[in-house]
Amino acid sequence: MVAPGSVTSRLGSVFPFLLVLVDLQYEGAECGVNADVEKHLELGKKLLAAGQLADALSQFHAAVDGDPDNYIAYYRRATVFLAMGKSKAALPDLTKVIELKMDFTAARLQRGHLLLKQGKLDEAEDDFKKVLKSNPSENEEKEAQSQLVKSDEMQRLRSQALDAFESSDFTAAITFLDKILEVCVWDAELRELRAECFIKEGEPRKAISDLKASSKLKNDNTEAFYKISTLYYELGDHELSLSEVRECLKLDQDHKRCFAHYKQVKKLNKLIESAEELIKEGRYTDAISKYESVMKTEPGVHEYTIRSKERICHCFSKDEKPVEAIRVCSEVLQVEPDNVNALKDRAEAYLIEEMYDEAIQDYETAQEHNENDQQIREGLEKAQRLLKQSQRRDYYKILGVKRNAKKQEIIKAYRKLALQWHPDNFQNEEEKKKAEKKFIDIAAAKEVLSDPEMRKKFDDGEDPLDAESQQGGGGNPFHRSWNSWQGFNPFSSGGPFRFKFHFN
């Protein structure tokens, strides 16, 4: 009996006739089996039933070596090979069984199954027909007839697929090939044919899947590795392209097309790796130069151009060059409107340019496509705060400097404006009041923007001199009247007047 859930039980559900193996009885004399061989067979049978496939295989190897004419040993070894997913190794053993015992219908039927899966339809049909002529059991006869019908159907579908391919009706060819490959799962040629159809239909990733299967089904399949590499290259995946072309060269180091392609991919890969390293180091100008070289190296593959522009857009944004960033990011987004990276980088550039509505729109679009991105969420909140803030007092605008202005620029702008709007410059009472208000704003702007901590709060959308924006409410510790600013020296770093200017 076969234990439920055992290896042989599971095999039997896939390969029904393998159950014959486990319960097969034979006469030692008939098979010419000596005691040692019989011992290996029995022990291998127990190990197989227990799922210890490697150990079982060793026992059946020993049995075959001990008696090369023992068809039982070959059949049981074939069973282990199949259980291990090694159909190529199982097929020669099944063929040997049939040579040694022509009327062993279970082995012939099993070989027919394997041949059918490999797409060797004529050979499979021959096995099924011979099973029907060899006085099979009722179940064997039923199975053989069923497989013959299936094989005939595959023959018809293959002819239709080939006709459709020749007529350039690739959609129809794919439909036929899909049905065939459900049965002929190990047919490398048909997988390669379907891959060609997928390429023609603009579905390279599906083509790659079939070609990868083909590279495993056929020995030394350099052509498959070459095609996989070129497809990955065209998709912009230079790293996988490099990996696959190396597999081709492992099989044939003199393969002309693989070697030429390898040099091209390696050059491009080196440029991109170098550019990314420069970005990590914050050397954005140098990184931009590298990505411009990438576009020149492979102008024919659109993917590298758009990916390079995406990274250049990122570099300009991080380097606080908003005008350039907005221009390049926009070029990317014209082609890929949902490119989240470009949307985030352009939004950051818009913030520097104080284009808050535009920044909010980009962040919201990016969030629609990646709602769990914390960077997008924080950026959107900041842009909304800055928009609200811009509708009140904007210290950057008061001093007339950019949001990315250095401290020296801020001090310089402050000194110029403080000198211009000092109330002592004005004699008219109304103009003097206006100047006082202006001077207070200028001094407040300088106080906030020249202090790193206060400036960070302001850049995050909080006015450190606005009582309403301070947590806990209450009075504003930074609020000053004009009187409190009198004696303030616009040409010092913030200390009290040491002397007072008088203006005529």
Side-chain angles (χ1 to χ4, degrees), residues 237-248:
D237 200 328
H238 54 96
E239 291 176 335
L240 284 176
S241 178
L242 189 60
S243 175
E244 295 295 333
V245 78
R246 280 173 174 159
E247 291 299 318
C248 174

Side-chain angles (χ1 to χ4, degrees), residues 205 208 212 224-248 261-262 265 269 273 304:
R205 294 197 180 277
I208 288 171
K212 282 189 172 182
F225 284 116
Y226 173 72
K227 285 184 178 179
I228 293 169
S229 179
T230 56
L231 287 171
Y232 273 133
Y233 189 75
E234 290 167 8
L235 287 168
D237 200 328
H238 54 96
E239 291 176 335
L240 284 176
S241 178
L242 189 60
S243 175
E244 295 295 333
V245 78
R246 280 173 174 159
E247 291 299 318
C248 174
H261 185 59
Y262 169 74
V265 183
N269 191 62
E273 284 182 347
Y304 292 110

Side-chain angles (χ1 to χ4, degrees), residues 393-399 410-411 414-415 417-418 435-451 454-455 458 462-466 476-482 484-485 488 490 494:
R393 182 163 57 174
D394 188 327
Y395 296 125
Y396 290 104
K397 284 185 178 178
I398 289 170
L399 294 183
I410 290 168
I411 298 298
Y414 162 71
R415 287 174 176 171
L417 291 170
E436 286 176 1
K437 183 179 182 305
K438 189 81 171 176
F439 188 83
I440 289 172
D441 286 343
I442 293 165
K446 183 261 182 187
E447 182 169 358
V448 170
L449 299 184
S450 62
D451 182 286
M454 293 174 71
R455 183 176 181 178
F458 185 76
E462 176 186 340
D463 187 347
L465 302 186
D466 184 353
N476 182 359
F478 297 101
H479 178 71
R480 301 183 185 183
S481 66
W482 157 241
S484 68
W485 288 105
F488 189 83

Side-chain angles (χ1 to χ4, degrees), residues 50-77:
Q52 299 178 41
L53 302 181
D55 293 334
L57 187 61
S58 296
Q59 294 299 321
F60 295 138
H61 280 324
V64 168
D65 292 340
D67 184 1
D69 294 327
N70 189 317
Y71 72 91
I72 297 299
Y74 286 106
Y75 190 63
R76 289 188 176 174
R77 189 168 71 174

Side-chain angles (χ1 to χ4, degrees), residues 190-210:
L190 289 183
R191 286 195 177 276
E192 289 177 358
L193 181 64
R194 189 169 66 175
E196 285 299 315
C197 293
F198 282 135
I199 292 170
K200 298 290 186 182
E201 288 291 289
E203 297 187 86
R205 294 197 180 277
K206 290 183 178 180
I208 288 171
S209 179
D210 270 340

Side-chain angles (χ1 to χ4, degrees), residues 40 42 116 122 140 159 227 247 301 329 405 411 455 484 487-488 492:
H40 287 307
E42 286 303 313
L116 184 60
D122 292 334
E140 288 174 338
S159 295
K227 285 184 178 179
E247 291 299 318
V301 180
C329 292
I411 298 298
R455 183 176 181 178
S484 68
F488 189 83
S492 75

